[in-house]
Amino acid sequence: MSIDPSAVVKIGYKSIKFIIEFIEIVESNKEESKKLIDRLARIQYIIDKNESDLKMILRLQQIVGTTNKIAEKYRADYEASCFSSWKVCCQKLKTAKDYQIIRENIEKMNNEVDRVVGDTHICLTVDVQRQNNQIIGITVSIREQLSEIQKKQNEIHDDIKELKQRQKPKVYTEQKFKCIIDKLKQEYSDKYSKIQRLITDKSYPIEQSYVNLAIIENSEKQPSQNQKQDLSTIGCTTYEQIYGNKEPINVKDLFNHHENKPRKRLLVYGRAGIGKTTLCQYVAYQWAKGQLYQQYKCVIWIRLRNLSENLYQLRQAQPYILSEIVKQECFKTQTLNDGEEEMLNSLLRNISSDILWLLDGYDELNVPDRLQAPLEELMNKQYQILTSRPSTKVPYRYDVELEITGFKESD
């Protein structure tokens, strides 16, 4: 399951923005929370003080109740006997005055309690209202910021979409690839139809030259004790002098299954001048003429000795890519324009499983650092024939190893 990069950016951006805003709100509320705590402490002090005053009022009310009872008793005594002494009357009058004073004090205290409670209620109401206003302001600010964030996210999404559209490689159909493949076939047909003999300086049609191949079995590749001398020491230049006869195989059968195992990567050994390059030329030409390996849509022949300092100069711009090497090695007469170069790059990516690579001369390889990446890509291609001299160790895995035993014009 693929992950949408825009969704990841969106979620990440939201999360970071929310955390930043939360921290800002917490920081801004610290002072307000401290002020509110101070106000609550003052209110608590007033409430505690009022509670003590209320306790005193309750005590006074008890006194008043007792006094009322006494006054009622004195009033009854006064009405029952008109002959009470003057002292008793004075005591009654004094008690009545004290009662009146007590009632007035109680009234004052009640008024004070009402005032304090009213002030506390007003203070609390004002603070709550202020907090509500602040919360409303913060909410509005958050909504505005969220709106701004959404706007930014939409802009980022549009930028990413535009960038993807810009970076999205063009998709070519096989019909458009055909023009590149046709040019490659024309190149092979024009350049490789003849083979030049070095000794006679005469040229012969490539169809008349065949390369005889033999399969080297793994069990045969272990020399005996008497055969472990260096090839250069004993003067041997071929495998057959050490290992004996091999199982011959026709070029057209190289990729046939062997013991129910597919052959995809072939390593072909041969001494200098025995026909390794001729084999590659023969395969390329016969494919171009529709006579060989038609299961492959494309056959690409790369001479590894050409991957050198002189042909691929150091440059400060972008590094070399495989399509540049293919263009340089395979399209010398059939040139490609800019659009066809881009199409060639797409062809190498999209039909890689339908391309046979002829990699000629591993023993002649002297590649600079700037070509290491495309070389490694070449050496790991799925379908390939690699040629090399037997004295050079090849550190890559191959399905079968073969030896060129020579070619005859009469074949």
Side-chain angles (χ1 to χ4, degrees):
M1 177 178 179
S2 61
I3 300 177
D4 187 5
S6 64
V8 175
V9 172
K10 184 174 180 181
I11 293 171
Y13 191 84
K14 275 188 176 180
S15 301
I16 293 171
K17 198 68 179 179
F18 179 79
I19 291 170
I20 292 173
E21 291 173 354
F22 178 77
I23 292 172
E24 291 175 352
I25 291 171
V26 170
E27 290 296 329
S28 64
N29 284 346
K30 279 184 179 179
E31 290 299 321
E32 295 298 327
S33 299
K34 186 176 179 182
K35 291 178 183 179
L36 182 58
I37 289 171
D38 292 340
R39 290 195 192 97
L40 291 175
R42 290 199 298 273
I43 292 170
Q44 186 64 42
Y45 171 78
I46 294 171
I47 291 173
D48 293 340
K49 185 174 181 304
N50 288 341
E51 284 180 354
S52 63
D53 291 339
L54 288 173
K55 289 179 181 179
M56 185 180 68
I57 291 170
L58 290 175
R59 288 197 297 272
L60 289 174
Q61 286 177 343
Q62 290 176 356
I63 294 171
V64 170
T66 304
T67 304
N68 284 333
K69 290 179 181 180
I70 294 172
E72 289 296 330
K73 184 176 181 299
Y74 285 160
R75 189 178 294 110
D77 291 342
Y78 178 77
E79 291 174 353
S81 179
C82 294
F83 302 104
S84 299
S85 63
W86 178 80
K87 184 177 181 180
V88 173
C89 291
C90 289
Q91 288 178 348
K92 288 182 179 180
L93 289 172
K94 186 177 182 301
T95 301
K97 288 181 180 179
D98 290 341
Y99 172 73
Q100 184 65 31
I101 291 171
I102 289 171
R103 290 193 66 175
E104 290 176 356
N105 288 336
I106 290 172
E107 186 67 27
K108 287 180 179 179
M109 291 179 68
N110 284 333
N111 292 336
E112 183 66 18
V113 170
D114 291 340
R115 185 186 66 79
V116 171
V117 172
D119 291 345
T120 303
H121 176 72
I122 292 171
C123 181
L124 289 173
T125 303
V126 171
D127 287 340
V128 171
Q129 185 64 35
R130 186 183 297 114
Q131 291 294 325
N132 286 338
N133 292 337
Q134 289 178 351
I135 291 172
I136 291 171
I138 291 171
T139 303
V140 172
S141 176
I142 289 173
R143 286 177 179 173
E144 291 175 352
Q145 292 178 21
L146 287 175
S147 177
E148 188 67 23
I149 290 171
Q150 186 65 40
K151 183 179 178 182
K152 292 290 185 183
Q153 287 176 339
N154 292 336
E155 292 177 358
I156 292 172
H157 179 72
D158 293 339
D159 291 342
I160 292 174
K161 186 176 179 181
E162 182 181 352
L163 184 61
K164 282 183 177 179
Q165 289 293 334
R166 239 184 292 144
Q167 293 181 343
K168 187 176 181 180
K170 292 181 180 179
V171 178
Y172 297 101
T173 62
E174 288 192 13
Q175 186 63 30
K176 290 188 176 181
F177 287 149
K178 188 176 182 298
C179 69
I180 301 294
I181 296 172
D182 288 344
K183 279 193 173 186
L184 183 62
K185 289 181 176 180
Q186 190 64 45
E187 178 93 11
Y188 290 164
S189 299
D190 293 343
K191 288 186 64 177
Y192 304 135
S193 61
K194 295 183 180 297
I195 183 170
Q196 192 79 20
R197 298 297 189 200
L198 297 178
I199 298 176
T200 62
D201 198 28
K202 293 182 179 181
S203 60
Y204 299 88
I206 189 68
E207 296 97 328
Q208 298 178 10
S209 298
Y210 293 86
V211 178
N212 294 318
L213 293 164
I215 296 177
I216 303 171
E217 298 293 344
N218 290 335
S219 59
E220 296 176 352
K221 291 167 61 179
Q222 301 298 327
S224 65
Q225 288 296 114
N226 297 329
Q227 296 170 334
K228 285 186 176 179
Q229 291 177 284
D230 184 26
L231 293 179
S232 61
T233 302
I234 63 176
C236 294
T237 54
T238 66
Y239 273 86
E240 56 196 3
Q241 291 173 277
I242 295 179
Y243 300 110
N245 294 328
K246 306 297 178 297
E247 177 187 348
I249 185 172
N250 195 290
V251 174
K252 65 182 179 61
D253 299 324
L254 290 181
F255 289 97
N256 292 347
H257 283 55
H258 179 66
E259 296 180 353
N260 295 324
K261 294 181 180 179
R263 293 171 179 163
K264 298 181 181 180
R265 293 166 55 85
L266 311 181
L267 174 56
V268 178
Y269 287 112
R271 61 179 173 80
I274 198 156
K276 299 186 296 296
T277 300
T278 300
L279 170 65
C280 295
Q281 180 178 339
Y282 178 80
V283 170
Y285 178 81
Q286 292 290 69
W287 169 79
K289 303 303 287 185
Q291 302 299 317
L292 192 64
Y293 301 152
Q294 294 305 294
Q295 67 267 36
Y296 300 107
K297 294 178 181 177
C298 193
V299 172
I300 297 177
W301 179 15
I302 304 292
R303 294 172 178 82
L304 296 179
R305 67 172 176 269
N306 290 344
L307 305 184
S308 62
E309 292 272 358
N310 295 332
L311 293 179
Y312 295 90
Q313 298 291 328
L314 180 64
R315 63 186 186 188
Q316 300 299 325
Q318 59 185 1
Y320 286 99
I321 59 176
L322 187 56
S323 60
E324 291 180 277
I325 295 175
V326 173
K327 176 194 171 187
Q328 174 73 19
E329 298 301 317
C330 299
F331 294 91
K332 296 183 182 295
T333 60
Q334 300 290 323
T335 56
L336 303 179
N337 57 41
D338 292 341
E340 289 173 332
E341 288 181 23
E342 184 178 351
M343 196 182 303
L344 173 63
N345 189 27
S346 178
L347 180 146
L348 297 179
R349 290 196 312 267
N350 288 282
I351 64 168
S352 58
S353 60
D354 293 320
I355 298 176
L356 173 61
W357 296 81
L358 307 177
L359 308 179
D360 185 22
Y362 185 81
D363 55 288
E364 300 178 86
L365 193 62
N366 186 20
V367 64
D369 291 341
R370 54 183 168 273
L371 294 179
Q372 284 293 342
L375 173 66
E376 196 64 24
E377 187 178 352
L378 273 175
M379 301 308 300
N380 287 286
K381 289 300 182 182
Q382 183 178 6
Y383 296 97
Q384 63 171 269
I385 296 176
L386 176 70
T387 70
S388 179
R389 293 184 185 179
S391 57
T392 301
K393 183 178 180 180
V394 178
Y396 299 94
R397 182 193 61 78
Y398 286 87
D399 300 321
V400 66
E401 296 182 8
L402 305 102
E403 178 195 357
I404 296 179
T405 59
F407 63 89
K408 299 179 294 183
E409 296 178 6
S410 59
D411 285 346

